[in-house]
Amino acid sequence: MFTDFISGKEKLKGNLEAEGGVMAARDALEAFFKAENERDWDAYRQFLHEEIVWRLFDKEERRICGILNYMQTMQKVYENSDVRFRCQDMQVSNEGNRVVAYLINDFGARSLDIFDFKDGLIYREYEFILD
């Protein structure tokens, strides 16, 4: 099972690097968001770089480091909740390694998220809660 996870992650990384640029990052984030909305945590995890850092700016700033902490935080956020979100707008840098996404959940709460990619995976996330 662990080898399936590793080979799946390597395949994803290889596909993103082979496609390169704007479309690869856009497609990766759309699949990442889909996995989050469906609570498919195995698929979701495959988009994350081992050295992921998520900086969350709300009333206070939080810094979540590493895949394990990231996954635990996300699963706790969605515990006993079926809330979903949609991406209203997405802008990708010319190099395809940075993406800005404007997200709105079922309750109308908004966030602006910036994703940096490294080795074809999400390496940094900066999330600004707007509501």
Side-chain angles (χ1 to χ4, degrees):
M1 181 149 141
F2 182 72
T3 55
D4 291 341
F5 169 74
I6 295 298
S7 64
K9 192 168 189 172
E10 288 302 314
K11 182 178 178 184
L12 172 68
K13 178 180 168 185
N15 288 344
L16 289 174
E17 290 174 347
E19 292 172 19
V22 173
M23 195 53 94
R26 179 180 301 278
D27 290 346
L29 270 186
E30 287 174 356
F32 181 69
F33 295 155
K34 181 178 187 287
E36 183 174 338
N37 275 327
E38 293 175 356
R39 313 304 190 261
D40 183 349
W41 301 122
D42 290 332
Y44 187 83
R45 181 182 184 126
Q46 292 188 29
F47 291 94
L48 301 175
H49 192 279
E50 289 179 13
E51 299 170 7
I52 182 76
V53 175
W54 173 21
R55 294 183 63 189
L56 178 60
F57 299 88
D58 197 358
K59 293 176 178 110
E60 296 179 6
E61 180 182 346
R62 291 184 58 200
R63 185 180 170 105
I64 297 103
C65 301
I67 290 177
L68 182 61
N69 289 332
Y70 189 107
M71 293 301 299
Q72 288 174 342
T73 301
M74 287 305 295
Q75 290 170 345
K76 187 172 184 173
V77 164
Y78 286 112
E79 194 172 63
N80 302 316
S81 172
D82 61 356
V83 69
R84 303 217 185 286
F85 66 91
R86 62 185 163 78
C87 181
Q88 183 165 329
D89 189 28
M90 186 183 301
Q91 299 294 319
V92 183
S93 68
N94 289 337
E95 296 81 22
N97 63 340
R98 177 167 287 161
V99 181
V100 177
Y102 180 66
L103 308 175
I104 303 173
N105 73 13
D106 292 339
F107 303 113
R110 304 166 299 143
S111 71
L112 182 68
D113 296 54
I114 302 168
F115 297 88
D116 286 337
F117 284 78
K118 180 178 177 182
D119 302 326
L121 300 169
I122 299 169
Y123 177 67
R124 296 287 184 261
E125 178 180 357
Y126 307 90
E127 181 174 359
F128 299 89
I129 305 297
L130 303 176
D131 295 310

